[in-house]
Amino acid sequence: MLSAVAGQRSVPGDPYTVGQSPRGLVIDGQPRVLTTGAIHYPRSAPAMWDSLMKKAKLGGLNTIDTYVFWNMHEPNKGEYDFYTDRANLPLFLQTAQENGLFVVLRVGPYVCAEWNYGGFPQWLRHEPGIVFRTYSAPFMREMRRFIAKVVDVTKPYMPEHGGPIIAMQIENEYGDHQRDFGHDGDLFADWCGQTAQQFNLSVPWIMCQQYYRVDGVIPTVNGFYCDQKLQQFRRDNPVLPAMWTEMWPGWFQRWGEAAPHRPIEDIAYAVAKWFARGGTTVSYYMYHGGTNFGRTSGPFIMTSYDYDGFIDEYGLENWPKYLHLQALHRLLLEHEQFITGNDVPKPVKLAGSDAATAYVYGTDSDYFAFLINSDSSNSIKIKFDGLTQQLPPWSVTLVRRSKQDKQPNVLYNTAQLSKLIKRAQRHPPRFETISSGLSTDNIHWRPLSQAGVPTITAKRPVEQISVTDDKTDYLWYRTKVSLPSECGSLDAAHAKTLVLHDAGDVATVYFNGEFVGMQHGQQDRLATFTFAVPPSMLRLGKGNNNTEVEISILSQTLGMAHNQQNMEAYSRGLLGAITLCDRDITKGKWEMQPGLEGEHLPAQTQDTHAWERYDPQQQLAYPQQMRWYAIELDSQTLAEQASGDEPARYAIDMASMSKGQIWINGFHLGRYWLRRAPLASDYAPCRRCTYNGAFHPDKMCRQHCGELSQRYYHLPRSYLRLPESSDGSARVRNMLYVLEELDGRPEHISIAQRISQLPLQEPELPRERRHCSWLLGTLVAVCGAAVLVGAGTLLFKALKQWRERRGYSRIHTDDSSLAE
């Protein structure tokens, strides 16, 4: 277990105090080192929260960080939800308290977070005269009202009640936009500080990424590296603690991108250097990324929000990252009194090199020191207090000397990995299929009707979000036009096109109900979509007489802007000119219909008796037809997997489908899209990855290049109906509903289990084939003997011994098992 520092404690359950000093947040009179990790409660099922907290604490964290998500808690003005399912913020705080973890509550209420609309509820944009995130009276009124509600809900979890909250955040990364708003931006920033103080709470308020002075709050920093900001911070804020609110150990991923990855040596280097130069708090964004369930993701952000975190989307340890930083956290907390009990030392140059420096906390004979080599290419040999040491490039070495020691002892180096961690790197997490295919008897389907009653008729297409209010991704635009004479030349050399200017995010086009094509933009930028229309759909009458054609365009959003100025004016849909065969058809009679038929029906109430039984051959006759699938999963197989020692972590393998959305038992799992990442040969960041040198996810270390960006979709076990016994005596149904927008083979959808095991022993690969062949023969012999003597248990024991010898036994991550 982590060593406790005398007089300092985790969340005690009885009243305590929180203050601030230059050497850290002060808890019960003691400045503290805070090792913090972000876990967003809406991005995981409540049944996962306790396990996530326990693993975070075992990983060396003493604090949890989370945003508060306005659009989840107040989806309609004045209608609050703080207590159901993933919106249960009090339960999340209580779980942290029960696990002895502090909480930094980042209220915002703007959060960014690659979350839909940056956390703003849609109704906010309709407030008369509102401008988001500036000195706008309607915005400040609503912002203050929501913060007051959050304060009221969370008061029982403040320090005076023994609760876990030790800091609150107002706004978010406002320094990035304050200058854009000019004088009104300055006024709004000051108003944020004043408003925070008016709540008269017992914890300090922070504003992250706040470059300009705001009275009443602690300005904090975000980034891949932040130690270089400390000197200026201390000059500007000599009485405040240095807090790193977002240390980015990975990155988010968009559809069609290769997976981001940050080397663990570089993460440890950045964190150790931060504490060496005077930092007292670090918070990983994200420690556990989780899942963007439903429609909660920002523009083109994937449903998986794994973030290459320390605990993966499924709640399993990312072992190399988890273990390497666990060791660093433990040392920082064990030597907390040295770090927070001393002023920031001046750097001592080592080996006559500007790249090698030492920061020594303590006295000449009793200290904790950081030896830094910031050269990204070369190791440096140094002598320090009788110790001769080779410092690897781009690394920090932690050393300790007590009064009884003749010379310092080396405790840790950020660039040196243990054998256990290296083995874990060779055995990354994986998915194992537990249900390889679906019986067509369990699949029903029906086509999705394009017909519907229009809600708006106008002389030109109307902006999408003003019609849908973001209650759906989808909006139908329909019009009937007479084919322009320009469409008369139908030879192959003169392709006829429908062009949609300034459109977003996705458009699917039909002519007289026939599929023409689908196109999409990138990120949150508008695009021009050009569709080649087949000649068969453009048949003119004799003498090129005009023939009427019905054009249906399904416009789709893939998440609302999460990080833009003037977000209240964010717009999507068909915004620019529309041309057919170079003729402008923008003006005319247009009908708009929001949503898709059946989209908002609770999935468990849909009557599948009226649906057709799925026939793969029949489906092939209707390609590119939107359709619903109702699929009954094999509950018995799921129950068998759930009965083991370790709870199963389920995923749906959607590789056989194209694009759409999925529900399980009425719960909206999210969007799916089977887009491939670029090949390594076509994308330089896939070809270069090294720990030593400044990291950026757009320049290096992308993984799984050429593969599907997201093939597996999280299926939380708490949203499944599992029989109480695994013998099949209790009949339960788990219904998966799939809305497929293009084409797919639902019979090839499968259920997989996420596996992340820590191999305690490395198999000897050159000998393994011989060993396994010998072992197989031995097992056969044992099996035969077992049959002959009637002792079938011998086979089971042999299999168990073989598994243990391979080094894949389940482990408990206490200190002794991780000592290597």
Side-chain angles (χ1 to χ4, degrees):
M1 298 297 293
L2 296 176
S3 350
V5 177
Q8 301 181 359
R9 57 188 180 182
S10 58
V11 182
D14 56 324
Y16 62 103
T17 61
V18 180
Q20 59 195 47
S21 78
R23 298 305 299 136
L25 287 186
V26 177
I27 298 176
D28 265 353
Q30 295 289 336
R32 298 297 302 270
V33 163
L34 297 178
T35 51
T36 308
I39 299 175
H40 294 164
Y41 53 95
R43 283 178 158 141
S44 54
M48 297 172 62
W49 293 346
D50 184 65
S51 173
L52 292 173
M53 302 267 188
K54 283 179 167 55
K55 290 179 178 181
K57 189 168 185 178
L58 185 60
L61 300 192
N62 57 16
T63 308
I64 298 298
D65 166 305
T66 186
Y67 282 125
V68 177
F69 298 82
W70 191 355
N71 51 12
M72 170 163 274
H73 295 299
E74 194 181 5
N76 300 304
K77 187 174 181 179
E79 299 178 8
Y80 298 103
D81 178 10
F82 282 94
Y83 298 99
T84 66
D85 197 42
R86 295 175 298 114
N88 198 334
L89 176 58
L91 177 60
F92 184 81
L93 297 174
Q94 180 182 332
T95 304
Q97 180 173 341
E98 290 171 352
N99 281 283
L101 291 163
F102 297 117
V103 172
V104 174
L105 195 65
R106 305 175 71 186
V107 182
Y110 167 72
V111 299
C112 184
E114 294 74 57
W115 185 266
N116 192 49
Y117 215 27
F120 289 136
Q122 276 301 311
W123 59 261
L124 190 65
R125 62 189 280 139
H126 302 307
E127 294 294 302
I130 197 167
V131 181
F132 290 2
R133 304 183 69 198
T134 189
Y135 201 73
S136 162
F139 180 75
M140 294 187 295
R141 178 191 69 232
E142 297 304 322
M143 175 175 166
R144 193 187 194 287
R145 183 179 60 80
F146 178 71
I147 294 175
K149 181 65 177 180
V150 174
V151 168
D152 183 60
V153 169
T154 58
K155 269 189 177 179
Y157 303 95
M158 293 294 174
E160 62 269 28
H161 302 293
I165 297 174
I166 56 172
M168 304 271 276
Q169 178 178 301
I170 192 168
E171 242 294 329
N172 186 54
E173 300 179 322
Y174 194 63
D176 293 339
H177 294 281
Q178 182 172 335
R179 185 181 300 174
D180 298 333
F181 287 109
H183 182 58
D184 281 353
D186 298 337
L187 292 175
F188 176 68
D190 290 337
W191 175 85
C192 287
Q194 296 162 8
T195 299
Q197 292 306 303
Q198 288 169 3
F199 288 107
N200 197 30
L201 298 182
S202 58
V203 298
W205 286 83
I206 64 175
M207 286 183 74
C208 79
Q209 207 78 326
Q210 185 55 42
Y211 313 129
Y212 310 98
R213 182 177 178 83
V214 174
D215 292 335
V217 301
I218 301 172
T220 68
V221 294
N222 299 347
F224 291 108
Y225 309 90
C226 283
D227 63 281
Q228 74 279 9
K229 303 177 182 180
L230 284 166
Q231 190 173 9
Q232 183 65 45
F233 175 86
R234 285 195 293 271
R235 282 198 294 263
D236 295 342
N237 308 279
V239 299
L240 298 180
M243 301 177 67
W244 191 356
T245 34
E246 290 188 18
M247 191 289 171
W248 302 326
W251 203 240
F252 59 88
Q253 189 176 1
R254 298 183 179 93
W255 304 109
E257 290 184 341
H261 169 71
R262 185 174 181 184
I264 57 178
E265 302 95 327
D266 181 59
I267 298 169
Y269 169 76
V271 172
K273 203 172 179 185
W274 164 260
F275 282 98
R277 299 183 67 178
T280 59
T281 296
V282 65
S283 182
Y284 298 99
Y285 186 100
M286 302 288 296
Y287 196 78
H288 162 74
T291 307
N292 290 317
F293 294 114
R295 302 174 53 253
T296 59
S297 64
F300 289 85
I301 305 297
M302 292 189 340
T303 297
S304 172
Y305 197 68
D306 185 82
Y307 221 89
D308 191 28
F310 298 78
I311 302 175
D312 73 9
E313 177 183 5
Y314 297 81
L316 298 172
E317 295 89 343
N318 180 352
W319 285 114
K321 186 169 290 189
Y322 182 87
L323 294 176
H324 192 50
L325 273 296
Q326 177 194 57
L328 176 58
H329 300 153
R330 291 181 170 186
L331 289 171
L332 293 172
L333 294 177
E334 287 170 5
H335 298 92
E336 182 176 49
Q337 286 183 325
F338 286 99
I339 296 171
T340 62
N342 291 279
D343 293 334
V344 180
K346 293 181 179 180
V348 177
K349 186 182 293 188
L350 301 174
S353 170
D354 291 334
T357 52
Y359 289 82
V360 182
Y361 288 83
T363 65
D364 290 344
S365 60
D366 190 17
Y367 60 78
F368 180 62
F370 301 81
L371 311 182
I372 300 172
N373 178 7
S374 57
D375 189 316
S376 62
S377 302
N378 303 301
S379 60
I380 299 176
K381 186 176 182 179
I382 60 100
K383 290 185 177 180
F384 174 77
D385 194 16
L387 173 72
T388 299
Q389 189 74 10
Q390 196 81 18
L391 303 182
W394 202 255
S395 74
V396 180
T397 300
L398 276 58
V399 300
R400 170 78 170 98
R401 179 177 180 179
S402 68
K403 292 179 180 179
Q404 292 75 34
D405 295 325
K406 294 182 179 180
Q407 66 178 29
N409 296 301
V410 175
L411 305 177
Y412 177 89
N413 179 271
T414 60
Q416 294 175 343
L417 307 182
S418 70
K419 292 180 180 179
L420 180 63
I421 292 172
K422 290 178 180 178
R423 283 201 298 271
Q425 288 179 324
R426 292 190 289 269
H427 298 271
R430 66 191 187 278
F431 291 95
E432 288 185 354
T433 300
I434 60 176
S435 175
S436 59
L438 299 172
S439 168
T440 55
D441 291 341
N442 294 331
I443 306 174
H444 291 77
W445 79 285
R446 63 181 176 86
L448 191 146
S449 173
Q450 295 183 31
V453 178
T455 58
I456 292 179
T457 301
K459 295 181 179 179
R460 64 172 298 146
V462 177
E463 191 275 327
Q464 179 167 345
I465 299 169
S466 64
V467 179
T468 66
D469 208 26
D470 197 39
K471 290 181 170 59
T472 174
D473 284 352
Y474 306 101
L475 179 65
W476 284 105
Y477 292 92
R478 295 190 181 90
T479 189
K480 292 182 179 180
V481 298
S482 296
L483 285 177
S485 58
E486 289 86 344
C487 293
S489 176
L490 298 176
D491 59 278
H494 298 83
K496 303 308 172 185
T497 58
L498 175 75
V499 182
L500 312 178
H501 296 272
D502 293 331
D505 296 319
V506 181
T508 307
V509 172
Y510 300 84
F511 269 54
N512 293 327
E514 293 187 62
F515 177 81
V516 175
M518 172 189 279
Q519 293 192 27
H520 59 83
Q522 293 292 339
Q523 299 184 30
D524 53 3
R525 297 187 293 270
L526 295 174
T528 295
F529 300 142
T530 301
F531 295 89
V533 184
S536 61
M537 298 182 185
L538 295 172
R539 297 300 183 191
L540 295 174
K542 293 182 179 181
N544 282 352
N545 293 329
N546 288 348
T547 299
E548 193 172 64
V549 61
E550 181 181 76
I551 302 175
S552 298
I553 303 170
L554 181 61
S555 178
Q556 180 183 356
T557 56
L558 284 174
M560 296 273 287
H562 63 273
N563 185 20
Q564 287 186 356
Q565 191 176 350
N566 301 120
M567 290 170 62
E568 71 284 346
Y570 186 77
S571 56
R572 278 298 177 266
L574 306 184
L575 305 179
I578 302 172
T579 62
L580 175 61
C581 299
D582 297 327
R583 174 76 63 85
D584 192 328
I585 61 170
T586 312
K587 294 181 179 180
K589 182 181 178 181
W590 286 85
E591 296 177 345
M592 275 64 68
Q593 174 194 342
L596 295 180
E597 175 261 331
E599 179 186 4
H600 292 298
L601 290 176
Q604 64 268 37
T605 67
Q606 294 199 30
D607 183 7
T608 58
H609 294 292
W611 296 29
E612 296 182 45
R613 189 177 297 278
Y614 175 72
D615 180 349
Q617 296 305 314
Q618 184 184 31
Q619 294 282 296
L620 294 175
Y622 301 97
Q624 288 84 44
Q625 181 184 38
M626 289 187 297
R627 62 199 79 186
W628 281 100
Y629 295 104
I631 303 169
E632 183 174 358
L633 301 181
D634 185 349
S635 299
Q636 188 63 32
T637 299
L638 293 172
E640 290 170 0
Q641 293 295 323
S643 62
D645 293 336
E646 183 74 17
R649 316 301 171 112
Y650 299 114
I652 306 175
D653 183 350
M654 298 293 289
S656 64
M657 306 303 285
S658 296
K659 183 178 181 299
Q661 301 189 33
I662 42 179
W663 290 257
I664 182 70
N665 298 329
F667 177 78
H668 194 180
L669 293 173
R671 305 179 180 100
Y672 69 89
W673 194 1
L674 283 302
R675 286 190 65 192
R676 287 199 178 273
L679 296 171
S681 57
D682 299 329
Y683 189 51
C686 292
R687 302 193 299 270
R688 176 178 177 263
C689 189
T690 177
Y691 85 85
N692 49 318
F695 171 82
H696 195 281
D698 292 338
K699 296 181 180 179
M700 61 196 303
C701 292
R702 291 283 178 161
Q703 296 184 333
H704 304 296
C705 303
E707 300 178 18
L708 295 171
S709 288
Q710 186 172 358
R711 171 178 175 173
Y712 297 94
Y713 293 79
H714 188 195
L715 183 61
R717 57 181 286 132
S718 57
Y719 296 137
L720 294 170
R721 303 185 185 115
L722 298 176
E724 294 183 1
S725 62
S726 59
D727 60 4
S729 58
R731 168 70 170 165
V732 296
R733 298 183 73 197
N734 285 285
M735 295 301 298
L736 183 73
Y737 285 84
V738 179
L739 171 60
E740 173 57 57
E741 300 168 14
L742 288 172
D743 197 9
R745 298 298 297 271
E747 71 272 25
H748 297 307
I749 293 174
S750 61
I751 306 300
Q753 184 175 353
R754 179 71 166 176
I755 305 293
S756 180
Q757 292 175 317
L758 181 61
L760 298 181
Q761 180 180 342
E762 185 80 85
E764 297 182 12
L765 294 178
R767 299 180 182 177
E768 187 176 19
R769 293 185 183 91
R770 297 195 300 271
H771 172 73
C772 288
S773 299
W774 170 86
L775 182 60
L776 181 60
T778 302
L779 288 175
V780 171
V782 170
C783 182
V787 172
L788 290 174
V789 301
T793 55
L794 291 176
L795 178 60
F796 171 79
K797 291 180 180 179
L799 289 170
K800 182 180 179 182
Q801 291 171 358
W802 176 78
R803 179 175 173 82
E804 290 174 347
R805 291 180 67 177
R806 296 253 322 176
Y808 288 98
S809 298
R810 186 179 176 225
I811 68 163
H812 299 278
T813 51
D814 58 13
D815 286 359
S816 59
S817 65
L818 303 179
E820 185 176 11

